[in-house]
Amino acid sequence: MRLMNIISKMSKLFLHSVEKICYACMTEMKCITKDEGVVIFFILVPLFYPLIYSWIYTNEVVREVPIAVVDMSHSEMSRKFTRMIDASADTKIAGYCNDINEAKDMIGRQKAYAILYFPSDFQKNPNRMEQSHVSIFCDMSYMLYYKAVMQTATAVAGVMNTTIQTERTAGLSKRENKVMTQPLDFEEVEIFNTTGGYGNFIIPGVLMLVIQQTLIFGIGMATGTRKEGLRIKGAIGNVLGKADTFSTVTGRSLAYLMIYAVVSAYVLLVVPRLFHFVSILHAIDLLCFILPYLLSCIFFASIIAHFVKRREDIMLVAVFTSVPFLFMSGVSWPQSAIPEIWQWVSSVIPSTFGVRGFIRLNTMGALLEDVKHEILMLWIQAATFYVVTLILASRAKKKQQQQQ
């Protein structure tokens, strides 16, 4: 009988806690729908921003990079080299210049992004059994242009070298000429990023960062609204008087989780397939990985929002941190090359482990076992940030009661 009473009391207490959590969740949902700013960052930005960003990189690689030619040789070989450069899909000849200064002027006016320079002895040297040179000056402020120009020029030079060597080895068969000119053959196989495109390289990491940053925007704006004392119908601030800190924090977080469960499925599953990016991620794997990531991002955003006094302040914080968060994730710069101190800093940011794990699952074909370290770190972050959020919310509630 006594045991039954204990079980009955615990059941009532549990049901009462669930009721308060559901009340806080519903109240938060009502506030979100009535706050235009929060709706923009929770719904509209995740809906359209990934589309715009992906559309920019639809072409994947740069084509027809304009090159200025300075031909001091005026020979058959230099003209052949130029024609082959122009025939490539990655480059085109934008114009012919009389000297290097004229070519520099074209680069200054951005009519060309590289200079192809042939010295006067370009054809004479091979005829005298001497090595000849062709110079390429590239605009290094555009790395993709540099890559296209250098790869094309290297390929053309290799073809012309083979042609010259073949002409000088008369009497050999085609097979012997091939072995002579190319004794070591190789095959280039692109793995993971099979298109070799920039979009497949950068978009997966950006999509994960969009989820984190929009959560920071939205939660920070909602928190700033409460601190400013703005009263919408059913304002979130009223929840503090009707529920304890645990129920309030948990209910709000549940509301954010419900919204972003749908948003994440759209951003991570639908958008890559719309633009034909590499996406081999399964929905079940995404569910197991995205849950700790979303929880970590929600509580991380709640901690940042605690220090926001006005709703506009969160915009400065989120915009300022977006690029550093992307760099520290190891996408645009190798993780092993990041200074150790910044690796420690990045370990407290959810997007660091979220981006790394998602790229391995989505692009590299990893299994959940292969990203168990990232999943474990996200769960640790989520638990730690949740406790910190409860502490901060409890202190804020006590301070509010003392002021009243």
Side-chain angles (χ1 to χ4, degrees):
M1 190 69 179
R2 188 174 181 181
L3 179 62
M4 294 298 295
N5 290 335
I6 294 175
I7 294 176
S8 178
K9 290 181 180 179
M10 291 180 64
S11 299
K12 291 180 180 179
L13 181 62
F14 175 75
L15 292 175
H16 184 61
S17 298
V18 172
E19 182 181 356
K20 291 190 292 184
I21 291 173
C22 292
Y23 176 81
C25 179
M26 290 187 298
T27 307
E28 184 76 3
M29 283 289 194
K30 291 179 182 179
C31 177
I32 290 174
T33 58
K34 294 175 182 179
D35 191 327
E36 295 179 356
V38 178
V39 170
I40 288 174
F41 288 111
F42 273 179
I43 307 298
L44 298 183
V45 173
L47 182 64
F48 292 106
Y49 187 77
L51 294 178
I52 296 173
Y53 208 97
S54 300
W55 179 69
I56 293 173
Y57 294 106
T58 300
N59 293 331
E60 290 280 2
V61 295
V62 295
R63 299 292 189 187
E64 300 291 327
V65 179
I67 299 177
V69 177
V70 180
D71 189 357
M72 308 304 293
S73 174
H74 301 290
S75 60
E76 178 186 356
M77 192 160 61
S78 65
R79 288 191 293 268
K80 181 179 179 181
F81 197 106
T82 303
R83 287 195 302 270
M84 295 177 69
I85 289 285
D86 193 42
S88 170
D90 294 338
T91 56
K92 69 175 182 179
I93 302 303
Y96 294 85
C97 305
N98 294 321
D99 54 37
I100 198 71
N101 291 326
E102 185 179 348
K104 288 181 179 179
D105 183 63
M106 287 188 66
I107 289 183
R109 289 182 283 114
Q110 292 191 340
K111 290 187 176 181
Y113 294 99
I115 301 173
L116 191 62
Y117 180 81
F118 298 99
S120 58
D121 56 358
F122 180 69
Q123 184 167 336
K124 294 179 181 179
N125 285 341
N127 294 334
R128 293 183 297 206
M129 304 301 292
E130 297 178 3
Q131 190 178 45
S132 190
H133 299 274
V134 56
S135 301
I136 300 175
F137 303 88
C138 293
D139 184 355
M140 293 297 293
S141 60
Y142 297 93
M143 294 301 295
L144 293 179
Y145 289 163
Y146 165 76
K147 175 186 174 183
V149 172
M150 287 302 299
Q151 286 185 338
T152 302
T154 302
V156 171
V159 171
M160 293 196 67
N161 283 333
T162 301
T163 303
I164 294 173
Q165 292 178 12
T166 302
E167 292 174 351
R168 292 177 177 175
T169 54
L172 298 180
S173 64
K174 291 184 178 180
R175 176 62 182 171
E176 291 172 332
N177 281 329
K178 185 175 182 180
V179 174
M180 177 75 68
T181 58
Q182 196 175 9
L184 180 62
D185 197 6
F186 71 93
E187 181 181 1
E188 183 180 357
V189 179
E190 295 176 338
I191 58 175
F192 306 138
N193 184 359
T194 54
T195 63
Y198 191 74
N200 273 309
F201 161 71
I202 198 68
I203 288 297
V206 171
L207 293 180
M208 291 294 284
L209 189 64
V210 165
I211 293 175
Q212 174 183 278
Q213 296 306 98
T214 52
L215 272 169
I216 293 176
F217 271 118
I219 295 175
M221 189 165 288
T223 304
T225 300
R226 287 191 290 270
K227 289 186 177 181
E228 285 180 346
L230 300 178
R231 289 295 178 262
I232 316 168
K233 284 186 177 181
I236 306 177
N238 296 335
V239 177
L240 289 173
K242 297 184 179 181
D244 56 273
T245 302
F246 169 78
S247 301
T248 303
V249 172
T250 306
R252 292 173 183 171
S253 302
L254 181 60
Y256 304 143
L257 181 63
M258 292 170 62
I259 294 173
Y260 267 79
V262 180
V263 170
S264 299
Y266 165 76
V267 171
L268 302 179
L269 292 178
V270 177
V271 172
R273 287 168 172 80
L274 285 177
F275 293 90
H276 305 290
F277 292 130
V278 175
S279 180
I280 56 178
L281 179 67
H282 299 288
I284 299 300
D285 293 340
L286 175 63
L287 177 62
C288 296
F289 182 78
I290 203 64
L291 179 60
Y293 179 68
L294 288 179
L295 291 175
S296 182
C297 289
I298 288 169
F299 300 132
F300 179 69
S302 300
I303 293 174
I304 295 178
H306 175 77
F307 302 98
V308 173
K309 296 182 179 179
R310 296 170 300 180
R311 55 189 278 130
E312 295 83 5
D313 294 345
I314 195 62
M315 300 186 71
L316 299 176
V317 176
V319 171
F320 176 77
T321 56
S322 295
V323 176
F325 284 172
L326 181 64
F327 287 159
M328 285 189 288
S329 67
V331 174
S332 59
W333 186 253
Q335 178 184 350
S336 58
I338 299 176
E340 186 175 358
I341 184 172
W342 289 111
Q343 293 198 39
W344 281 102
V345 172
S346 67
S347 64
V348 299
I349 304 169
S351 59
T352 300
F353 301 103
V355 169
R356 294 173 187 173
F358 178 71
I359 290 177
R360 290 168 185 167
L361 287 171
N362 181 73
T363 308
M364 303 172 68
L367 303 176
L368 287 176
E369 296 179 356
D370 301 320
V371 294
K372 60 183 179 181
H373 172 71
E374 285 75 14
I375 294 176
L376 176 62
M377 293 303 299
L378 288 173
W379 278 117
I380 292 174
Q381 285 183 342
T384 304
F385 294 156
Y386 180 56
V387 173
V388 174
T389 302
L390 287 175
I391 295 173
L392 294 176
S394 179
R395 290 183 178 179
K397 184 176 181 179
K398 289 181 181 179
K399 185 177 181 180
Q400 181 183 2
Q401 291 174 345
Q402 291 174 357
Q403 291 176 350
Q404 292 175 350

